[in-house]
Amino acid sequence: MNSPFPKSTSVPGQGHLVAKLLPEGISGLETFTYQYPLKLISPSRPSEDESVLVFLLSYGGGLVAGDKVNLKVDVRAKAKLTIVTQGHTKVFTSTSPDIVTRQDMHAHIASEGALCLLPDPVQPFAGSVYEQTQIFRLEEDASICLLDWVTRGRTARGENWSFVRWVGRNEIWTIPAAQEDGKTDSRERLLVRDAVILDSNRSHPELAKLRDSMHGVGIVGTLLLRGPLMKSLGDFFLAEFAALPRLGARDFRSDAAKQAAALAQATPREKWRAERLVMENNSKLLWSAANVRGCVVVKFGAPEVEDGRLWIGSMLQEEGSISHHFGDHALMCVR
């Protein structure tokens, strides 16, 4: 018997977000669709917040082996979109290395639009297989803040980089703006392609397991910044990295009294930096920052997840651009 209803065009795991600028000058959602196992929530927000907030979730608290999520994001001209999560993205164990859990995101950010993606880290369970691709196409004056990080797993259960494979790839492209006739120049330029492959079967030949090659690090992350709204934040990371103590630059003749006197006369930023350096040293956190074709790429790693969270949260809060442009809710996953 033929159904009287039209055939469904929905695809499992597929979602689409379109953010646009509303007449009152704040951003809203024009399109908001998703299919299991993907779940999206957009709560009400204070009217003064210019950015629209969306939670990226999954049913059952994580992704089951073989789940596939494909999210398309469009940020219209001058609109702002913030995407966060409500906890670690858990990746459950695969029964076979051939069963891959996958998440893909393809985003287009139009002229003067901005996307802030600061989720909780991915937490792959022992025996899991996970692949993630995130591709962002920005018109020349669009902005993006992207945080991508992964943990060693469930330490309470003794997991220590015990998954089969974790692959993440992030790409930022710049594209010409649409012309008046609606056509676009097909010439795109790749600015950054950042790929991380953690494979238990491809570890260092002199190290038996993946965990041995991680040298005690419990979380690794990448922060990518691009665009006019992220210019100040990118400069901040580059300046703070340049200010890190270098070998041979330390004055070993300085005693505690001199250091205390110098700190008493320091600016609030200098005092914050001194406290942060102590925290980095105590937690054994390592990080770097570089400018790559106009994108600032920040890499960091720490033995403990919370140390990594506190560090990246402290850096973003101290500089202030994220709260200013997207609201305090954009930082909820890094506090």
Side-chain angles (χ1 to χ4, degrees):
M1 179 179 178
N2 294 328
S3 172
F5 301 102
K7 187 177 180 181
S8 174
T9 58
S10 63
V11 177
Q14 193 169 66
H16 189 195
L17 290 172
V18 178
K20 69 175 184 178
L21 188 68
L22 301 178
E24 53 267 38
I26 63 175
S27 298
L29 292 172
E30 179 181 281
T31 302
F32 184 82
T33 63
Y34 60 89
Q35 293 290 332
Y36 176 90
L38 173 64
K39 185 175 183 180
L40 302 172
I41 296 177
S42 183
S44 59
R45 68 192 191 285
S47 59
E48 63 270 16
D49 287 348
E50 297 181 4
S51 178
V52 59
L53 175 66
V54 174
F55 285 91
L56 178 62
L57 311 172
S58 57
Y59 292 86
L63 296 172
V64 178
D67 279 350
K68 290 179 173 55
V69 171
N70 191 344
L71 178 61
K72 181 181 178 183
V73 177
D74 288 293
V75 181
R76 305 295 193 207
K78 299 183 179 181
K80 296 177 183 177
L81 174 63
T82 301
I83 299 178
V84 296
T85 54
Q86 284 188 323
H88 291 191
T89 300
K90 301 176 179 62
V91 183
F92 291 94
T93 302
S94 294
T95 57
S96 167
D98 298 328
I99 301 177
V100 179
T101 305
R102 185 170 187 84
Q103 283 201 107
D104 293 329
M105 179 184 295
H106 295 264
H108 173 267
I109 309 173
S111 176
E112 297 183 52
L115 173 62
C116 180
L117 181 57
L118 292 174
D120 290 283
V122 177
Q123 185 183 48
F125 290 3
S128 62
V129 184
Y130 179 80
E131 295 181 2
Q132 172 182 286
T133 300
Q134 299 183 127
I135 299 177
F136 304 89
R137 287 181 166 84
L138 283 65
E139 294 185 10
E140 190 61 35
D141 53 356
S143 300
I144 185 170
C145 173
L146 163 66
L147 176 61
D148 186 19
W149 45 345
V150 57
T151 77
R152 69 176 70 182
R154 298 169 294 179
T155 55
R157 298 178 63 92
E159 296 179 355
N160 186 7
W161 306 108
S162 306
F163 48 81
V164 176
R165 186 171 68 254
W166 188 95
V167 177
R169 188 174 93 246
N170 297 300
E171 296 181 3
I172 296 180
W173 296 71
T174 182
I175 61 176
Q179 302 173 4
E180 293 183 358
D181 57 4
K183 297 181 180 180
T184 58
D185 192 327
S186 60
R187 291 173 296 178
E188 299 181 347
R189 182 187 178 205
L190 177 64
L191 300 178
V192 171
R193 175 178 287 137
D194 181 80
V196 177
I197 301 176
L198 301 175
D199 193 329
S200 61
N201 297 318
R202 296 173 58 186
S203 58
H204 193 279
E206 297 182 1
L207 301 173
K209 296 182 179 180
L210 176 62
R211 73 186 66 174
D212 299 323
S213 65
M214 300 304 290
H215 300 287
V217 171
I219 184 168
V220 293
T222 301
L223 180 72
L224 299 176
L225 305 168
R226 165 77 180 180
L229 297 188
M230 296 296 104
K231 177 68 165 58
S232 176
L233 182 57
D235 290 345
F236 170 77
F237 272 97
L238 293 173
E240 289 302 312
F241 181 65
L244 287 177
R246 297 293 191 263
L247 289 176
R250 181 179 175 182
D251 183 7
F252 289 94
R253 298 168 297 177
S254 299
D255 55 22
K258 291 182 179 179
Q259 293 177 9
L263 190 60
Q265 299 176 358
T267 64
R269 173 62 59 82
E270 289 171 339
K271 292 179 180 179
W272 169 84
R273 180 183 298 126
E275 294 173 355
R276 195 202 78 229
L277 290 174
V278 172
M279 183 273 287
E280 291 177 2
N281 183 65
N282 292 340
S283 64
K284 298 181 181 180
L285 185 142
L286 299 174
W287 69 283
S288 66
N291 191 322
V292 181
R293 299 189 189 94
C295 299
V296 174
V297 181
V298 180
K299 293 280 188 177
F300 64 95
E304 301 296 333
V305 173
E306 285 309 306
D307 289 332
R309 187 191 301 274
L310 289 173
W311 178 81
I312 191 66
S314 172
M315 296 288 280
L316 296 176
Q317 286 180 274
E318 174 66 18
E319 193 280 332
S321 288
I322 298 299
S323 295
H324 176 72
H325 293 299
F326 297 95
D328 290 338
H329 54 231
L331 297 171
M332 64 176 64
C333 296
V334 294
R335 288 177 171 172

